[in-house]
Amino acid sequence: MRLTIVAGARPNFLKIAPLIREIEKVRLQGVNISYRLVHTGQHYDENLSKVFFRDLQIPEPDANLEAGSGSHAVQTATIMTGFEQELINNPCDIVVVVGDVNSTLACSIVAKKLNIKVAHIEAGIRSFDMTMPEEINRMVTDSITDYFFTPTETANENLMKSGVHASTVYYVGNIMIDSLLHSRNMLRKPTFIAAHDIDPAKCVVLTLHRPSNVDDPEHLKMLLDTILKNTRDYHIIFPVHPRTKKSLDAIGINDSRLIVTEPMNYLSFNYLVRSCAVVVTDSGGVQEETTVMGVPCITLRNNTERPETVDIGTNELIGDDMNKLEVALTNALDGKWKQGAIPDLWDGKTAQRIVKALLQISSSFTE
Ligand code: UD1
């Protein structure tokens, strides 16, 4: 079986790493499966891309489409044009896309129009918020996916409700967690923490990159002021995404407790998450990682496509209600937070289940 595996943006790299490791493992056992890894180039900064390949030991991509940044239409179209040529030159049996970024959408459409089967890892999750580009990407991708690899029961239910046939749904669990569990003994203290003699337990980790939180500098300033006002003598560690940097530069906030860094590598970032008092975020993946590590997570969004992290995990949605943010920060720093549990099949064995299913699918091609 020949796969083409697509990855474009930071969270994608975490999802393909375990898959590739598992494919390499079964290949060594003589199983007939090969892959081409295509990087669309959606994320191209060293810190958002190369560092993740290194930390997660992902092989060099076979092709890089170098799509880069642009408006949604420009970025999506550039990826589509590059990926069409890639697939024409290098035909395959199944295109594997992951997550919900523009690369996921673009490459699934191209594959489908070339009559190539599409497998979607992390299929079926929904925020039901059509103002999020990711929700549109999820819905379009799932409307043309052939094989759905789902992380949760809720994702299965969402797909059933949209008319997907149960026989095409493979409930395999959360592949992000494969990466986290694989890396747990390799997490490393960031050098600036040691250099400044900061106690990681007296830190709040902050990540923000959603347009609704960061594109308006005034809104970003209000968030940062509220966080600083309600976190006592704790340090706020804020690795800043390029999108957020533009607004942050505009407001010019300066406080000795606020430590602004470049986007952090995976191993250092999760070291901090594991050790800190509370995480404040608008990321999808961080909601999942905090649930698995049992760390309080305050999510600055009104909804989540990962409801399990709220229902049984350690996550709380507070939207943009600053009163709720104040209360949540106080509770977290006082140690008054729900305990949380880990959702089923977030166990580090998702890639194993996916490769097994792909091999079954491939045997049905030849029957
Ligand atoms: C993308 C995904 C989002 C994901 C996030 C993780 C979409 C629609 N969004 O958002 O779901 O959570 O990645 O980080 O696919 N930029 C750089 N260097 C880079 C990449 C981007 O400076 O390597 C800048 C761009 O110029 C642009 C901004 O960052 O100003 C946004 O990049 P883009 O890839 O369009 O979306 P993200 O916000 O990163």
Side-chain angles (χ1 to χ4, degrees), residues 8-12 41-49 68-72 75-76 79 100-104 132-134 137-138 209-211 214 241-244 246 282-285:
R10 181 167 61 177
N12 288 174
Q42 176 174 345
H43 281 177
Y44 44 86
D45 277 7
E46 170 100 9
N47 286 337
L48 294 185
S49 178
S69 301
S71 68
H72 282 268
Q75 188 176 61
T76 306
I79 298 169
D100 55 17
V101 303
N102 287 345
S103 302
T104 314
M132 286 177 73
E134 293 81 2
N137 293 344
R138 291 180 201 114
H209 73 284
R210 299 268 158 223
V214 305
H241 186 280
R243 170 171 214 121
T244 312
K246 291 173 197 157
D282 60 8
S283 150

Side-chain angles (χ1 to χ4, degrees), residues 4-5 18 43 49 66 105 189 235 248 257 290 310 314 342 357:
T4 291
I5 300 172
H43 281 177
S49 178
E66 294 180 354
L105 166 89
K189 198 183 222 178
H235 282 98
L248 194 62
R257 288 196 293 114
T290 44
V310 176
T314 55
I342 300 175

Side-chain angles (χ1 to χ4, degrees), residues 203-252:
C203 286
V204 175
V205 173
L206 173 64
T207 84
L208 294 171
H209 73 284
R210 299 268 158 223
S212 58
N213 282 327
V214 305
D215 283 1
D216 172 12
E218 280 310 308
H219 184 79
L220 180 62
K221 183 168 185 323
M222 181 183 73
L223 289 175
L224 290 173
D225 285 344
T226 307
I227 293 168
L228 280 163
K229 214 171 78 202
N230 291 282
T231 44
R232 305 168 195 170
D233 57 345
Y234 284 64
H235 282 98
I236 319 296
I237 314 289
F238 188 15
V240 174
H241 186 280
R243 170 171 214 121
T244 312
K245 189 166 185 316
K246 291 173 197 157
S247 295
L248 194 62
D249 289 347
I251 60 180

Side-chain angles (χ1 to χ4, degrees), residues 286-304:
V286 175
Q287 295 172 52
E288 300 176 332
E289 289 158 349
T290 44
T291 274
V292 170
M293 292 193 266
V295 173
C297 181
I298 299 173
T299 297
L300 300 179
R301 285 175 50 189
N302 291 310
N303 48 56
T304 178

Side-chain angles (χ1 to χ4, degrees), residues 13-86:
F13 309 139
L14 302 168
K15 293 167 196 168
I16 60 155
L19 179 68
I20 289 176
R21 206 174 324 113
E22 183 63 21
I23 293 174
E24 294 289 2
K25 192 175 108 195
V26 300
R27 272 164 65 86
L28 282 177
Q29 295 161 358
V31 174
N32 180 18
I33 181 168
S34 64
Y35 69 92
R36 261 178 84 76
L37 175 58
V38 177
H39 189 324
T40 64
Q42 176 174 345
H43 281 177
Y44 44 86
D45 277 7
E46 170 100 9
N47 286 337
L48 294 185
S49 178
K50 261 220 161 65
V51 165
F52 281 74
F53 276 71
R54 194 191 62 211
D55 279 357
L56 297 159
Q57 295 144 344
I58 305 169
E60 277 291 305
D62 298 287
N64 190 324
L65 308 180
E66 294 180 354
S69 301
S71 68
H72 282 268
V74 167
Q75 188 176 61
T76 306
T78 311
I79 298 169
M80 287 180 76
T81 314
F83 192 58
E84 185 178 52
Q85 206 49 56
E86 156 65 30

Side-chain angles (χ1 to χ4, degrees), residues 83-85 87-88 109-117:
F83 192 58
E84 185 178 52
Q85 206 49 56
L87 275 188
I88 290 169
I109 294 174
V110 169
K112 204 62 193 164
K113 290 202 169 179
L114 289 171
N115 284 324
I116 298 173
K117 302 279 189 200

